[in-house]
Amino acid sequence: MNRLTPEQRFQIVQFYFENNGRFYKRILFSDKAHFWLNGYVNKQNCRIWSEANPQVYVEAPLHPEKLTVWVALWPGGILLQKQRRPQRYSQW
C-alpha cells in the first residue's frame, strides 16, 4: 500500500474543499463495546496487579449475558444501537 506524503494529503483535502465545501458533513466516527451484565471483565483490556495468589479458580457461565452498544457521531447528531444478548444455552 502506498503511503501519501504530507503534500499529497494537503492536495486531497484542498480538492474536497474546492469541489464540495461540506464534505466534512459526510464523516462518521463510530465504535462498538460489549458490557457483560454479570460483572465479567475482559482481561485483554484490563490488568489487575496483586501480591495474592493469582491461581484462583472461579466458575463462570460459558456465554454470560451481555449488552452490545454501537455509537456513531456525525454532524447530523448521534446514532445509537443497543442489543442485549441472552445466554445461548440453558443450564441442565
Side-chain angles (χ1 to χ4, degrees):
M1 183 173 165
N2 295 335
R3 300 206 182 252
L4 298 176
T5 65
E7 179 62 31
Q8 291 171 325
R9 292 179 187 166
F10 179 76
Q11 289 174 357
I12 291 171
V13 172
Q14 189 175 18
F15 170 80
Y16 278 108
F17 271 117
E18 290 172 357
N19 294 303
N20 185 2
R22 297 182 182 195
F23 82 96
Y24 65 90
K25 290 188 175 184
R26 298 180 185 197
I27 298 173
L28 184 129
F29 299 95
S30 68
D31 197 9
K32 178 172 73 169
H34 303 287
F35 300 94
W36 280 265
L37 302 178
N38 66 348
Y40 169 78
V41 176
N42 184 351
K43 291 174 183 55
Q44 294 293 330
N45 298 331
C46 179
R47 301 284 186 238
I48 300 173
W49 298 90
S50 174
E51 294 181 10
N53 184 0
Q55 304 299 324
V56 177
Y57 177 75
V58 178
E59 259 187 63
L62 182 60
H63 297 286
E65 287 187 291
K66 66 180 175 179
L67 177 69
T68 302
V69 178
W70 178 85
V71 176
L73 302 173
W74 68 300
I78 298 173
L79 303 173
L80 174 67
Q81 180 182 14
K82 298 180 286 185
Q83 184 176 14
R84 186 171 178 174
R85 305 252 171 139
Q87 289 183 343
R88 295 181 185 168
Y89 305 103
S90 60
Q91 295 180 347
W92 301 50

